[in-house]
Structures are given as C-alpha cells and as structure tokens.
Amino acid sequence: MPTGPRPLDRRRLLIGAGAVAGVALAGATVSRVAGVRTPTPPIALPAPASPAPPLPAAADLKIDGLAPFRTPNGEFYRIDTAFVVPRVDPATWTLRVHGLVEREVTLSLDDLLGEDLVEAWVTLCCVSNNVGGDLVGNALWLGLPVREVLARAGVAPGADMVLSRSVDGFTASTPLEVLTDERDALLAVAMNGEPLPPEHGYPVRLVVPGLYGYVSATKWVSELKVTRFADDVAYWSTRGWSEKAPVKIASRIDVPRPGRAPRAGEVMVAGVAWAQHTGIGKVEVRIDDGDWQPAELADLVSVDTWRQWFYRWDAPAGDHAIEVRATGLDGIVQTSQRRPPAPDGATGLHRVEVRVEG
Ligand SMILES: Nc1nc2c(c(=O)[nH]1)N[C@H]1C(S)=C(S)[C@@H](COP(=O)(O)O)O[C@H]1N2
Ligand SMILES: [Mo]
C-alpha cells in the first residue's frame, strides 16, 4: 500500500493505520481475525416495499466445499481501516446530504426506516482481492435507493460524484450516474434479514452493485456530499488506488482445493463467478491447458450477484492443473492477463493444481 509523507505528530497513528489497512486489504485471514463479532442493538426492520423475488431452486447448487449463494453475515469478509468498530447510536444517527444540491437534506434512522425500502441481492467484493481470493460475498440487502435521497436534495448542474463519508472519516468517491441510474444502489439498513452487524456498518451503509467496495460501500455512513471528481478525492485514491473502480469479471475454483488428492474418476470441480451489474453468461474450465469446456451454471438470480458453476471432470491419476474463465452477459471474456490488485483490481485466471490418486 503506497503511503505519502505524513506530519510527524500523527506518524504513529497513521503508519499504524496504514499498516493495518495494508495487511487487511492484502489478506482475508487477517480481516477474519479482526472481525470480532459484537451484539447488534435492536432496530425494528420494516417489511420491504419492494421485496426481492423468491430465489429459484437452482440458485444454490449446494455442492460440498462450494461457497453458498448467500454468504452468512458471520462469514462475510470484512475490510476497513477501523482499529475499533465504530459505535453509532441509532437514536442520534443522521445522514446529511449536501454539496452541489438545491437543498440540504438530513435523514434520521426513523425517517429512513419509514421510507419504501427495496430488497436486493448484491455481491460485494474488495479491489484488493487476489485471483482466487475470498474477499467477496453475496447478501440480501434492504435499503433506500440513493437516487431517492439525491432527488429530494436536487442535484445541481456540474456534479459528477458523490463523496460518501463514514463517522470514522473514511470516504469513498462514487460516480453520480451510478447512484442515479436504475440499479439498486442502496443506503442499506439490513443484511440477510438482520440489522447490519456492527462490523458491516451498523446502522446504515452504502451498497452499490458493480463497483469495488472502496469506491462505493461506505460503512457507518453519515454524509453524502454531491461534488465533482475535480474537487474532491476519497481515502484510497490518495494512496495508490484509482478514483474509479468498476468491478472486473472474475471466477474462482472452490473445489477441489489445492493440495487435496481426489480419487481418479469423476471429480466435481465447482466455484463461483461474478461480474456485478453485467451478469455471468458463461463459465468454462480447462484441464492441463487443454481446450475450454463449458461448465454448468446455477440459475441467474440477478446481474448483480455471483453465479455458482460446476464441471464434472473425468480425472485420470496424476498431477493436473484446473483453470476457469467466465464470460459476461455482454459477451466479454475474462482476460488471462495477470495483473495485481493495485490500482483498480486484479485480473488473470484462477488455477488450481491437484494430484489425482490412482
Ligand atoms: N467506513 C468504512 N467503510 C468502508 C471501508 C472502510 O475502511 N471504512 N472499506 C471499504 C472496502 S475497501 C470494502 S471492500 C467494503 C467491505 O465491506 P465489508 O467489510 O462489509 O465486507 O467496505 C468499504 N467500506
Ligand atoms: Mo476493499
């Protein structure tokens, strides 16, 4: 994680913060260890005015070792710069919408809970996820579309970005168009039917389909400033990460795990693929750099969620490499070119090496 020069008196804190963020962004293990679960203060969640459609039966293939379609809250990856999870009092929480607006708007939690809330499945992922990594999860979110709040404030001409700010000072810059188009960009109050866990932004966070978390998914959100990319810059954009970061199409092999030794014969190869706000149209697998073979897909739930896939492999004994690639519903094939996560998301194909026992 690149860091710039710091004033001396704040050095310890900032280097500490930078180091923790760097480690957390680089690996899921640390984020899990840091993910201390704390009790959630009660919020009476309203029923969604616009519920998500029921899940098709074949959305979750329930294959042993494959990530479930819905990531349970307690297993959802956690990435943030917070040493201590911010404690936000729901009774005094407000969201202030200001900047290039016709009128400032301030919402309380009661105001927000009294609105027509929308439920949507959205897969969230971190820009620092490595190829094959697990900084990605899928949940059912409940919230107020951000465009409703922006419409009430009245966006002034010239604005092209919303800088969202957390109670802990973290900021994210999100293109205005992404928050005002038809997609389910939400001020979310619930995750998988429960109030947000403290680690995931209680009482309110942003969830925006199609963008990496650091440019969209502000937890403990308290402020939306309507502004311009030319005038404001977000937390990670001053630290070596791009100002704009749409999610890149990706696919992952969950089973077989590397180093496991399946028996020769039919071996179940399975995983997930995601291309939020485009949708996954096809997944292919190849063995030992052979021809690409089509994998079977779970039902498409929405273009904003990941999609499970599987491939029945007639595995001969010996050492083998399995690779996966996905194609979006837009027809664009995942690139094999390997790039690191910085500055705007990793690319390359996930490859798993296994020894098949004779
Ligand atoms: N307040 C705050 N919000 C934040 C962050 C943060 O550091 N602070 N990190 C962002 C990043 S980098 C990601 S990937 C997502 C992760 O959300 P999760 O921890 O709920 O999975 O939150 C985003 N929102
Ligand atoms: Mo992230």
Side-chain angles (χ1 to χ4, degrees), residues 147-354:
R147 63 173 173 274
E148 304 283 339
V149 183
L150 293 177
R152 235 162 276 177
V155 173
D160 64 3
M161 186 258 271
V162 172
L163 189 77
S164 53
R165 183 179 296 273
S166 158
V167 297
D168 69 352
F170 172 89
T171 51
S173 56
T174 309
L176 183 63
E177 64 193 41
V178 171
L179 298 176
T180 48
D181 70 13
E182 88 306 334
R183 81 186 71 193
D184 295 314
L186 299 178
L187 280 158
V189 291
M191 179 178 185
N192 291 326
E194 292 165 24
L196 296 177
E199 298 80 3
H200 296 288
Y202 178 89
V204 183
R205 74 171 304 168
L206 284 169
V207 176
V208 181
L211 303 185
Y212 287 116
Y214 84 105
V215 287
S216 67
T218 302
K219 303 191 274 190
W220 316 289
V221 66
S222 59
E223 211 184 291
L224 301 181
K225 181 185 181 191
V226 180
T227 180
R228 307 190 310 157
F229 278 102
D231 296 337
D232 276 297
V233 62
Y235 184 86
W236 285 114
S237 307
T238 59
R239 293 167 171 82
W241 298 84
S242 296
E243 277 194 304
K244 296 186 185 176
V247 169
K248 294 177 181 172
I249 187 170
S251 52
R252 186 180 79 194
I253 300 164
D254 285 355
V255 284
R257 305 237 178 247
R260 290 293 165 84
R263 299 219 129 246
E266 190 183 278
V267 170
M268 183 60 95
V269 180
V272 283
W274 60 91
Q276 289 91 312
H277 215 58
T278 299
I280 292 294
K282 184 161 77 173
V283 172
E284 296 162 292
V285 169
R286 75 175 168 191
I287 310 292
D288 301 330
D289 301 303
D291 291 336
W292 288 107
Q293 308 288 334
E296 313 263 354
L297 291 174
D299 281 351
L300 182 72
V301 173
S302 97
V303 295
D304 296 331
T305 58
W306 63 12
R307 204 166 176 184
Q308 296 176 338
W309 58 267
F310 72 96
Y311 174 76
R312 292 179 206 277
W313 175 34
D314 185 14
D319 289 332
H320 300 286
I322 311 169
E323 278 182 303
V324 63
R325 75 173 181 192
T327 302
L329 286 169
D330 58 1
I332 295 174
V333 183
Q334 184 185 346
T335 179
S336 61
Q337 195 182 7
R338 281 205 86 105
R339 286 182 187 278
D344 62 1
T347 64
L349 303 182
H350 191 206
R351 182 182 174 98
V352 166
E353 288 172 8
V354 288

